[in-house]
Amino acid sequence: MLNSKSFEEKYYIKNVDADEKSIYCHHDLMGEHLIPTHQHKKAQFLYTEGGIIHVTTETHTYFLPARHFLWIPANTAHSIHTSSENAIMRNLYFPQNTNEHEFYSIEGIYPANDLLLQMMLFTNRWNGHLKKGSRHYTIANAIKAILPEICTAQLHLSLPFADDSRLKNILLYVDQNLGEPILFSELAGRFGFSERSLYRLFEKDLRMSFIQYFTIRRILKAMELLLDKKLSVNEVAQAVGYNSAPTFSNTFFKVLGQRPTEYVNGVEILRKEET
């Protein structure tokens, strides 16, 4: 557990907002499993590789897959959790301007296309404050400027928190049994609900249906297993409760916009291009 002094000395607390007008750049190993809850006056562009990354805000827990980035608006409290201290974080922190595009005020996950990846690769050896008027600032600011143009489809790779204690227990059970066929009727009966009342609870507390939650949770788990590379695609499908590999592939495509094999082949692209 970090003590208050060490936490205050971390770059994301001490340095990011030290110069309010600069773009702050930080590319490095994460170095820890948890970055505690904090916030910046600047918006954050976060791209990661080499580990499973979860980002928790006040309303959602996001799973950040390879070849995607998370946009965190200015003054948004968040914590970052990872499966490995060796995960690489590539961060650009942008000052907030008046009359900005609506894109910059909404947190969300977006795929990083080849153009964006190449521009991020160009910033690879930068660190610290990029002063306004400098060449590096101009290039970094161009990355920000193109985001509303190329990021037209946000991925719904987040799951809301449950406020109701009964629903929290149900979601814990679901998480522990992702590989099993869970019927909604049996789930309701197990926890003493009618199907209708449990359906209403999901809609009221999570603003999504059970099948929406269950599908996203399965795909998020599948992405973790695919990145771990210990199981084949077919084995991953079975591990998250799909008896049919084509059905799993089609569901994965609907959520992520790419097939499981495409996702596996596309991970860590920046690292590969550096070697």
Side-chain angles (χ1 to χ4, degrees):
M1 185 70 179
L2 291 170
N3 58 48
S4 58
K5 182 178 180 181
S6 63
F7 177 63
E8 290 172 355
E9 290 176 350
K10 295 293 183 178
Y11 81 90
Y12 45 85
I13 296 297
K14 184 178 180 181
N15 296 332
V16 170
D17 293 326
D19 182 342
E20 294 183 0
K21 296 182 179 180
S22 75
I23 295 174
Y24 190 80
C25 180
H26 186 85
H27 301 323
D28 202 355
L29 295 177
M30 184 159 175
E32 51 197 317
H33 286 286
L34 169 66
I35 294 179
T37 301
H38 64 286
Q39 63 187 62
H40 324 284
K41 294 179 183 178
K42 296 177 180 177
Q44 182 176 357
F45 175 104
L46 172 61
Y47 183 96
T48 66
E49 56 199 46
I52 308 300
I53 302 293
H54 298 268
V55 179
T56 300
T57 66
E58 293 180 352
T59 56
H60 291 83
T61 292
Y62 295 92
F63 174 86
L64 184 55
R67 289 210 70 174
H68 293 75
F69 73 91
L70 176 63
W71 180 263
I72 306 174
N75 301 306
T76 299
H78 60 283
S79 59
I80 302 175
H81 314 250
T82 182
S83 61
S84 171
E85 295 180 355
N86 294 320
I88 296 175
M89 294 179 62
R90 303 181 186 275
N91 299 282
L92 291 172
Y93 299 86
F94 296 96
Q96 189 175 21
N97 300 315
T98 57
N99 300 320
E100 287 194 314
H101 193 284
E102 182 184 11
F103 173 91
Y104 304 117
S105 65
I106 302 172
E107 59 189 59
I109 292 176
Y110 302 88
N113 66 12
D114 291 340
L115 171 62
L116 187 56
L117 289 173
Q118 290 298 328
M119 293 180 76
M120 282 299 295
L121 180 61
F122 195 78
T123 74
N124 182 52
R125 290 177 173 81
W126 302 354
N127 263 306
H129 293 281
L130 311 179
K131 299 291 185 178
K132 191 171 184 178
S134 68
R135 183 173 64 90
H136 288 176
Y137 180 99
T138 301
I139 294 171
N141 202 45
I143 292 176
K144 177 185 178 182
I146 67 171
L147 296 182
E149 304 298 324
I150 65 175
C151 302
T152 56
Q154 181 181 153
L155 294 181
H156 298 286
L157 295 178
S158 66
L159 292 173
F161 290 114
D163 292 322
D164 190 287
S165 59
R166 299 169 298 171
L167 191 53
K168 288 180 181 178
N169 291 332
I170 293 173
L171 297 186
L172 178 60
Y173 174 82
V174 170
D175 283 355
Q176 293 173 342
N177 293 274
L178 291 175
E180 303 299 324
I182 300 178
L183 298 178
F184 187 68
S185 58
E186 295 178 357
L187 186 67
R190 173 182 289 272
F191 288 91
F193 286 88
S194 68
E195 289 185 53
R196 186 175 183 179
S197 61
L198 184 56
Y199 177 85
R200 287 178 173 175
L201 182 58
F202 266 89
E203 291 287 346
K204 178 182 178 181
D205 202 358
L206 302 184
R207 296 184 179 180
M208 62 172 55
S209 67
F210 165 72
I211 191 62
Q212 288 174 316
Y213 181 93
F214 193 34
T215 299
I216 293 175
R217 190 65 192 89
R218 278 178 157 179
I219 295 302
L220 293 182
K221 182 62 178 179
M223 293 166 75
E224 293 186 18
L225 294 175
L226 289 170
L227 284 178
D228 201 33
K229 297 184 178 180
K230 294 181 180 178
L231 301 176
S232 67
V233 171
N234 286 344
E235 289 171 332
V236 168
Q238 294 176 1
V240 295
Y242 287 89
N243 293 325
S244 166
T247 299
F248 168 66
S249 180
N250 289 338
T251 304
F252 195 96
F253 181 81
K254 288 179 182 178
V255 174
L256 265 188
Q258 55 185 319
R259 301 290 177 182
T261 51
E262 294 172 330
Y263 176 72
V264 172
N265 292 334
V267 301
E268 299 182 351
I269 186 170
L270 286 182
R271 178 180 292 174
K272 290 177 182 177
E273 292 200 21
E274 290 168 9
T275 58

